[in-house]
Amino acid sequence: MDIEVLIDEAIKAREKAYVPYSNFKVGAAALFEDGKIYSGCNIENASFGATNCAERTAIFNAVAKGNRVLKAIAVIGDTNNFTAPCGICRQVIAEFAENPEIKVIIVKNHKEYIVKTLDEILPGSFTKKDLEV
Ligand code: THU
């Protein structure tokens, strides 16, 4: 998996962000089992709680096209800081992650990024296994 390609796609997706309230653009790019990259941006709403983060847009885009197995995801904000996935997005990543060791790439810019595993950013996660009786 080419991390730089994933970052490029996240940067491209960020251009599409709909952010009239925060003016904070976020882009995400997710590699799925079919070998394709699905990207997404944040989409805000006048009812702020209805906002969808970039990571969830990317993942839902992939799922809507028949994918289930997430292998890696990159996220980039619109700041000179590293932008990490929010708590809700971590939970959605956990739902589709191939395993807890998949890479979550937290990007600052093209050259500066941190690679974490899902388990590092969401240890002890609640998943479908926890629903088994
Ligand atoms: N945002 C994301 O798109 N992903 C995250 O993981 C963090 C937050 C968006 C939501 C909102 O549109 C803006 O960033 C400010 O919170």
Side-chain angles (χ1 to χ4, degrees):
M1 195 242 331
D2 189 338
I3 289 179
E4 313 260 314
V5 171
L6 215 53
I7 293 173
D8 280 346
E9 290 302 314
I11 290 170
K12 261 192 241 160
R14 186 178 61 182
E15 287 165 23
K16 302 282 194 304
Y18 174 72
V19 290
Y21 307 106
S22 74
N23 204 31
F24 185 74
K25 294 181 173 184
V26 184
L31 175 68
F32 271 78
E33 199 176 40
D34 65 355
K36 291 190 185 144
I37 294 171
Y38 295 84
S39 62
C41 57
N42 50 337
I43 303 170
E44 298 186 341
N45 193 283
S47 176
F48 298 165
T51 291
N52 210 60
C53 289
E55 301 91 313
R56 279 177 286 141
T57 305
I59 291 170
F60 296 160
N61 180 17
V63 173
K65 289 183 177 120
N67 296 280
R68 291 286 190 274
V69 184
L70 172 64
K71 297 180 94 69
I73 186 164
V75 55
I76 183 165
D78 195 12
T79 165
N80 201 30
N81 294 317
F82 295 98
T83 297
C86 79
I88 296 173
C89 289
R90 291 177 197 209
Q91 183 66 28
V92 173
I93 292 168
E95 184 68 27
F96 294 102
E98 180 173 45
N99 60 59
E101 303 306 316
I102 69 152
K103 291 185 167 88
V104 178
I105 300 133
I106 296 166
V107 186
K108 181 167 166 183
N109 57 48
H110 261 109
K111 296 223 162 66
E112 291 175 277
Y113 56 85
I114 299 166
V115 181
K116 298 265 188 194
T117 67
L118 172 61
D119 196 51
E120 282 176 308
I121 63 164
L122 190 68
S125 65
F126 179 85
T127 66
K128 53 168 90 76
K129 283 199 194 84
D130 297 297
L131 292 171
E132 287 167 11
V133 283

